[in-house]
Amino acid sequence: MEYEAVIGLEVHAELSTKSKIFCSCTTEFGGQPNTHCCPVCIGMPGTLPALNRKAVEYTIKAGLATNCTISNFTKQDRKNYFYPDLPKGYQISQYDLPLCKNGYVEIETENGKKKIRINRIHLEEDAGKLVHSEYGHNSYVDYNRTGVPLIEIVSEPDISSAAEARAYLEKLKAILQFIGVSDCKMEEGSLRADVNVSIRPKGSNELWERTEMKNLNSFRAVYRAIEAEVARQIQVVKSGGTIQRETRRWDDAKGESYPMRSKENAQDYRYFPEPDLPPLIIKEELIQRLKNELPELPDARKQRYISEYGLPEYDAGVLTSSKELSDFFEEAARASENIKAVSNWVMGDMLRILNERNLEVSQVPFPPTYLAKLVALLDKGVINGPTAKKVFEEMFNTGKDPEAIVKEHGLEVLNDESLLLQVVEKVIQENPNSVADYKKGKKKAIGFLVGQAMKATKGKANPQLLNELLIKKLEG
Amino acid sequence: MKLHEYTITQLHELISKKEVSVPELTRYMLDRIDRLDSNLECYITVTQKHAMERAESVQKMIDEGVLNSPLAGIPMAIKDNICTKGIPTTCASKMLGNFVPPYDAHVVKKLYDNGAVVLGKLNMDEFAMGSSTESSYFKKTKNPWDTQRVPGGSSGGSAAAVAAGEAIYALGSDTGGSIRQPASFCGCVGLKPTYGLVSRFGLVAYASSFDQIGPLTKTVTDCALVLNAIAGHDPMDLTSSRRQHPDYTKALINDVKGMKIGIPREFIADNVQKDVRDAVLNAAKVFSNLGAECEEISIPSMEYVVPTYYIIALAEASSNLARYDGVKFGYRAANPKDMLDFCMRSRSEGFGTEVKRRILLGTYVLSSGYYDAYYKKALKARALIIRQFNKIFEKYDIIIGPVAPTTAYKIGEKINDPVQMYMEDIFTVPVNIAGLPAISISCGFDSSFLPIGLQIIANRFDEPTLIRAAYTFEQNTDFHKAKPSLDE
């Protein structure tokens, strides 16, 4: 029998509000342990939570950007469990009345567009972190992250492959970044995903028992964990076993997952309404205002790149995959008359260099307008293609204006005919064999001669002109 | 008359006329505590140095004319579950025996702003769970009227200190009767304000949707003065009301003509001690004679109030007390095997029996499979009880009845029968369930000359009517003038 995967994702994104959800401590990442906390966020006796309205607004924006219905009446609930990184012994979350529900996002798959439905988005507080000492048996707790506002985005089990899961995550990340509610840095833990996986006979509508996978710290880990889990489940079923409901922990280094806890040991969180916070009434006017504040979303921007800039769908998709990249491209494009060339530079050399140097778009040391200038220098024939590539590298090294680099290193194309004629004559003199070959009809020999002439001009000659002058000289 | 017998109003006048200085008064009170408290055991912490320094600075501000609050320079004390910056706040528990908050509760800040001089922190039932102050980890407070008897609870230290003149007034907290019942047992005035009138920030939570801080005083006038100081919105407590509160001293009017008073027949049934019932019925007569209209009414849901209260309160308590795991503050078990052992032993060793019982019960009623049968049903009952009170207040201005079915009982008499102790909260808990304001004032004495408290209940935020009725009763009776005779 053939099987197919049924996958649902629970994505946690930290909101990029300045202060925490229930106190005025900073949400900044890092810092010396326990320096970003106060009596409220470490749950000292007698303290009470005061809700950060911005966190509520950000959650609503996330809901609006993912086509959710926003609840007009919502409340917070306590999720009770003991863990040293949870200072109050409960997490303030939302149980039966989440802020946003019934949304979707659209992803690209091998078979075209696909809607992934979103069951709910709710607002909650993040927990702290355990730090285990390298030597000895001590563990420490760092509460800096405690109380950073967090949204949990729960998808329906509409995802059918690891590739779709990755596409869904990339789309969510792009949306959250575009609307400015989360920086979605997986390496800093501001975007985290838990994955629910089950299998079923291909084409059926059944829902079999699922497993949940935790500790997925990158898109790659999500992809690999799903592939491995689907394979594991098929293996279990094929060898006559059944899948048990359980939570598994992914070990990315080993490429395997291990059981963490079974259904029998599932925690009873004893949810109940948070008595310290009154229910929230979300007014229509607020929803309308937040809707009006939403910027252009990735899908709309992609469409615009296709219709307005005439870019191919694929290119438009890559360019709108992240807000930083898209904003960079757009600023360069606006300063340029050759948008297609700008797009090629961004998608080609720029992404390659960023990748080689392990840089983020935000770390590009020059403004996007410099890229437009570079394209213009090339289009006007001031520099040639190979020189442009060198100038671009130099821009990454120094952050300098391409015009300044060209001037400083004297990289302008040599168009001076009398000067180039002298070079041509010298090359003909020094390469009698190639000249003879050419005259015998081996027209390809011209390439070698042009190369020699370029070398003699340190690559600055206008190759077109060199070619013409050489042919004229050899045949004349 | 001796200084400790004066009311806030009288002392304010003495201080204003410079007949006594704040440091003199404070010294006098500290000496009195020193003399009496080894016997009565009202205080967990006496803040001698802090109080004297504070007295000096308050006197200076009074002399400079920058402080003229009626509370300026008046020595008072605070229940030990209300956070005081730099002063231990133990909740009478081994768990918080070493806890010194780095912040003041909102009410404490407000009292400091009014020039209060804090003498110390008062004994209570552990985490406010109890009604006799016997569950304190540290000591057993005695009732000043009979030191063989309990002062009531959980604010037993607060009521006993005010009755014995070890503080001019005190703050307590009331989750199910914890201000009113000890006020009744000790013969002082105790007010539980409307839920949301006084900020809970800095009150160590027992049951968040019931807890309120309130004053324990000698007179209704003093009560109004303290309420003026502590009431009002606090942005740090989102359950505190935004409405402007009136000047409660404006409600000190000796007149109840035309006031409509309901007496629930469930409040004067056979389960009430005869002396208590007679005193309450006599109080109704006093009101009638003053021109009020008293009628018997019924609160049909009375049979559900105790279970409803305990299910919701203990559910919240089980969660509120989860933070005491030994990690961040409070008691920490020695030499733990691992993380689980560390947490379990810290809690097992740090909490007392009654607290553990309530955490277990609260955890049980929230557990999956029991939630619907207990917690959810209790929420429905709560809504029903609120509706019944709303209906009563459409027709009546106040409700009167006893605070507790009995007067103060002997230390050790009931501590081993938790269900009976829970049942005796029957007249106080409905007030917390519905978030209403209620006051306890003296309305008589039993055959052993133990005080009896009259409970007056008003509609939400109608403290003015409550205070007016209590003030009128006080002005027309002499019960509040009786003092316990202490061997001094």
Side-chain angles (χ1 to χ4, degrees), chain A residues 167-336:
Chain A
Y168 169 75
L169 275 175
E170 281 170 353
K171 179 51 75 66
L172 269 189
K173 178 179 169 178
I175 291 172
L176 296 177
Q177 286 180 336
F178 266 68
I179 62 175
V181 303
S182 174
D183 54 21
C184 295
K185 288 183 181 158
M186 255 187 148
E187 67 283 5
E188 290 182 5
S190 66
L191 188 75
R192 313 194 281 273
D194 298 336
V195 178
N196 287 295
V197 176
S198 64
I199 56 166
R200 67 182 170 201
K202 204 175 171 94
S204 91
N205 282 324
E206 296 167 40
L207 281 177
W208 286 11
E209 198 58 273
R210 64 174 194 261
T211 62
E212 185 182 5
M213 212 126 37
K214 290 193 178 285
N215 193 39
L216 304 167
N217 299 321
S218 64
F219 286 2
R220 189 169 161 267
V222 170
Y223 186 90
R224 293 175 66 217
I226 291 172
E227 294 265 272
E229 181 58 12
V230 171
R232 187 191 70 84
Q233 290 191 9
I234 291 174
Q235 187 57 42
V236 169
V237 171
K238 278 195 170 158
S239 55
T242 50
I243 303 302
Q244 302 296 327
R245 170 81 74 96
E246 63 184 358
T247 304
R248 301 176 68 86
R249 183 184 168 81
W250 174 250
D251 184 331
D252 204 42
K254 295 203 174 120
E256 285 174 50
S257 64
Y258 303 94
M260 246 170 85
R261 56 173 182 260
S262 66
K263 190 185 178 186
E264 289 74 42
N265 297 326
Q267 301 214 31
D268 179 359
Y269 291 120
R270 306 189 311 278
Y271 280 99
F272 73 100
E274 168 54 89
D276 288 331
L277 296 167
L280 281 174
I281 312 291
I282 309 292
K283 294 205 175 104
E284 239 3 271
E285 300 92 90
L286 174 69
I287 298 173
Q288 205 48 53
R289 170 168 74 74
L290 295 172
K291 206 177 258 177
N292 295 339
E293 277 176 25
L294 282 186
E296 186 182 37
L297 295 175
D299 282 348
R301 201 177 269 204
K302 178 181 165 188
Q303 234 25 69
R304 182 162 60 80
Y305 287 2
I306 295 167
S307 60
E308 198 175 302
Y309 294 160
L311 297 181
E313 181 163 356
Y314 175 79
D315 296 18
V318 172
L319 289 171
T320 52
S321 64
S322 102
K323 179 166 162 58
E324 285 184 340
L325 185 68
S326 177
D327 286 349
F328 188 97
F329 162 72
E330 192 139 344
E331 203 180 326
R334 245 178 280 143
S336 176

Side-chain angles (χ1 to χ4, degrees), chain B residues 172-195:
Chain B
S173 69
D174 190 318
T175 306
S178 282
I179 288 173
R180 291 159 286 156
Q181 186 257 22
S184 167
F185 279 18
C186 293
C188 51
V189 175
L191 172 73
K192 185 216 92 89
T194 303
Y195 185 81

Side-chain angles (χ1 to χ4, degrees), chain B residues 122-434:
Chain B
L122 296 161
N123 198 23
M124 54 186 278
D125 280 295
E126 184 179 3
F127 281 99
M129 295 176 177
S131 36
S132 64
T133 313
E134 290 169 289
S135 72
S136 166
Y137 173 70
F138 300 107
K139 48 181 70 172
K140 289 194 176 28
T141 301
K142 320 299 181 300
N143 190 316
W145 295 85
D146 176 353
T147 52
Q148 302 291 305
R149 293 178 187 268
V150 300
S154 65
S155 311
S158 302
V162 172
E166 287 192 34
I168 304 304
Y169 70 97
L171 287 187
S173 69
D174 190 318
T175 306
S178 282
I179 288 173
R180 291 159 286 156
Q181 186 257 22
S184 167
F185 279 18
C186 293
C188 51
V189 175
L191 172 73
K192 185 216 92 89
T194 303
Y195 185 81
L197 183 64
V198 178
S199 167
R200 292 183 295 118
F201 192 90
L203 169 66
V204 180
Y206 160 18
S208 313
S209 68
F210 298 136
D211 295 343
Q212 267 295 282
I213 293 170
L216 289 105
T217 58
K218 291 174 184 159
T219 63
V220 176
T221 304
D222 282 5
C223 177
L225 289 171
V226 179
L227 187 61
N228 267 349
I230 62 173
H233 179 66
D234 172 12
M236 300 286 273
D237 176 4
L238 294 188
T239 64
S240 79
S241 166
R242 287 176 182 280
R243 66 167 71 195
Q244 278 288 330
H245 70 82
D247 175 358
Y248 295 107
T249 60
K250 295 252 159 69
L252 297 167
I253 299 164
N254 183 0
D255 180 9
V256 290
K257 263 188 236 57
M259 198 178 272
K260 300 209 72 175
I261 300 174
I263 309 168
R265 70 174 66 96
E266 297 82 0
F267 278 46
I268 43 174
D270 291 342
N271 57 345
V272 179
Q273 187 182 312
K274 189 174 178 304
D275 294 338
V276 174
R277 194 167 55 214
D278 290 348
V280 169
L281 291 173
N282 179 60
K285 236 177 248 146
V286 171
F287 278 121
S288 298
N289 292 340
L290 293 166
E293 295 168 37
C294 294
E295 277 173 21
E296 195 174 290
I297 58 168
S298 173
I299 306 174
S301 60
M302 275 303 283
E303 59 178 308
Y304 305 120
V305 298
V306 172
T308 299
Y309 168 79
Y310 273 95
I311 288 169
I312 297 172
L314 303 194
E316 292 179 4
S318 72
S319 175
N320 283 331
L321 271 66
R323 68 191 63 197
Y324 308 107
D325 56 6
V327 177
K328 305 147 302 246
F329 37 72
Y331 178 78
R332 175 179 279 199
N335 305 317
K337 278 205 308 282
D338 53 32
M339 210 167 70
L340 192 65
D341 182 52
F342 172 83
C343 175
M344 282 173 44
R345 277 209 293 117
S346 294
R347 291 171 68 77
S348 297
E349 294 165 17
F351 288 135
T353 309
E354 183 58 27
V355 172
K356 279 185 232 173
R357 176 171 19 244
R358 294 192 187 202
I359 291 173
L360 285 172
L361 286 168
T363 304
Y364 179 80
V365 299
L366 286 176
S367 296
S368 98
Y370 301 97
Y371 182 93
D372 287 358
Y374 293 104
Y375 185 75
K376 209 170 165 189
K377 205 171 265 179
L379 289 187
K380 281 186 186 156
R382 179 182 205 167
L384 174 78
I385 294 160
I386 291 172
R387 278 201 303 276
Q388 291 185 357
F389 273 110
N390 285 345
K391 218 167 164 69
I392 291 169
F393 286 115
E394 281 172 17
K395 217 177 145 195
Y396 297 91
D397 298 304
I398 53 168
I399 297 169
I400 64 168
V403 174
T406 69
T407 51
Y409 43 85
K410 292 253 168 67
I411 291 170
E413 191 183 326
K414 294 184 180 173
I415 192 72
N416 294 318
D417 190 350
V419 175
Q420 195 202 337
M421 282 186 87
Y422 295 174
M423 286 311 293
E424 293 190 351
D425 296 338
I426 185 158
F427 303 132
T428 46
V429 294
V431 165
N432 301 77
I433 291 172

